[in-house]
Amino acid sequence: MPKTKTWAVHLLTASGAGFALLAALAVMRSAWVETFVWLGAALFVDGVDGPLARNVRVGERVPWFDGAILDMVIDYTTYVFIPAMILAHAGLMPQALATPAAILVAVIGALYFADTRMKTREYGFRGFPAVWNMVVFVLMVFAPPPAVSVVVIVALALLTFAPVEFVHPVRVQRLRPLTLLMTLGWAIFSLLAVIAELRPNQLVLAGLGLTTIYLTFVGAALQATRLRLKH
């Protein structure tokens, strides 16, 4: 039974690859709502498989199988590669800019996943943590001018290897209740936006915007307060 539970957790993690393929097929049809449904499913799996793996102690049960590598491969696909495909095809910016932006995301994301310094002592992220699925989703919902989309993509690409911290919504202890609440709010507003076919009302836009701002900047705020306390 312990090994059965272990393989069930690994299979759950691997299901993200199936969701990634379904998302890629939806991108090829320009079916953006469906694309984000599958990416949302992959994001949900990624949110629950880690705690389950730690609870079942998968590394002890089947030590020759590395679930972390499996998770990393699928995360790159769903967090980076599929969002890069969306950037290249969704019309967020002229094609002359869209393709280079997509390549930038794919390459920078690949480099980030190989960076062993990405986690901080507080289990946050050092540098922008390559959550391009969330970035592209917000851009699709708000549909800003192309220049704004370009600035956002380039700025986050530069921040990938900058000494600026971003919060892990579950594992960082400081402000954890508020961060969890904001994460839940982001998920709810995102679901409402998908239900509205990516054209939600002003209330949903405001909620999605506020929760996005919090999750983007709270890590840097926690980092700044920690540095002040040291001095």
Side-chain angles (χ1 to χ4, degrees), residues 6-19 42 45-46 48-50 53 65 67-72 74-75:
T6 296
W7 285 114
V9 173
H10 287 321
L11 183 60
L12 176 65
T13 301
S15 71
F19 291 132
V45 168
D46 188 51
V48 300
D49 67 348
F65 190 92
I69 293 178
L70 174 65
D71 187 65
M72 194 85 69
I74 294 171
D75 281 355

Side-chain angles (χ1 to χ4, degrees), residues 53-127:
R54 288 187 288 272
N55 183 60
V56 176
R57 303 198 305 275
V58 295
E60 299 175 19
R61 306 293 186 190
V62 186
W64 56 267
F65 190 92
D66 197 328
I69 293 178
L70 174 65
D71 187 65
M72 194 85 69
V73 170
I74 294 171
D75 281 355
Y76 175 77
T77 306
T78 57
Y79 281 71
V80 179
F81 194 79
I82 302 299
M85 289 181 63
I86 297 170
L87 273 179
H89 290 283
L92 288 169
M93 57 191 76
Q95 201 58 47
L97 295 174
T99 299
I103 293 172
L104 177 66
V105 166
V107 172
I108 292 295
L111 292 173
Y112 181 77
F113 272 81
D115 190 347
T116 59
R117 306 165 303 165
M118 67 167 66
K119 292 291 180 66
T120 69
R121 290 183 179 179
E122 292 188 342
Y123 297 103
F125 298 100
R126 182 177 290 104

Side-chain angles (χ1 to χ4, degrees), residues 32-33 140-141 191-200:
W32 305 120
V33 173
M140 289 287 285
V141 171
L191 178 60
L192 292 173
V194 169
I195 292 172
E197 299 185 346
L198 307 184
R199 292 296 176 263

Side-chain angles (χ1 to χ4, degrees), residues 123-170:
Y123 297 103
F125 298 100
R126 182 177 290 104
F128 173 66
V131 286
W132 293 105
N133 50 347
M134 301 172 72
V135 173
V136 172
F137 176 76
V138 171
L139 291 177
M140 289 287 285
V141 171
F142 282 90
V148 173
S149 295
V150 171
V151 169
V152 169
I153 297 299
V154 172
L156 292 177
L158 292 174
L159 284 173
T160 298
F161 301 105
V164 178
E165 294 182 15
F166 288 77
V167 73
H168 188 296
V170 176

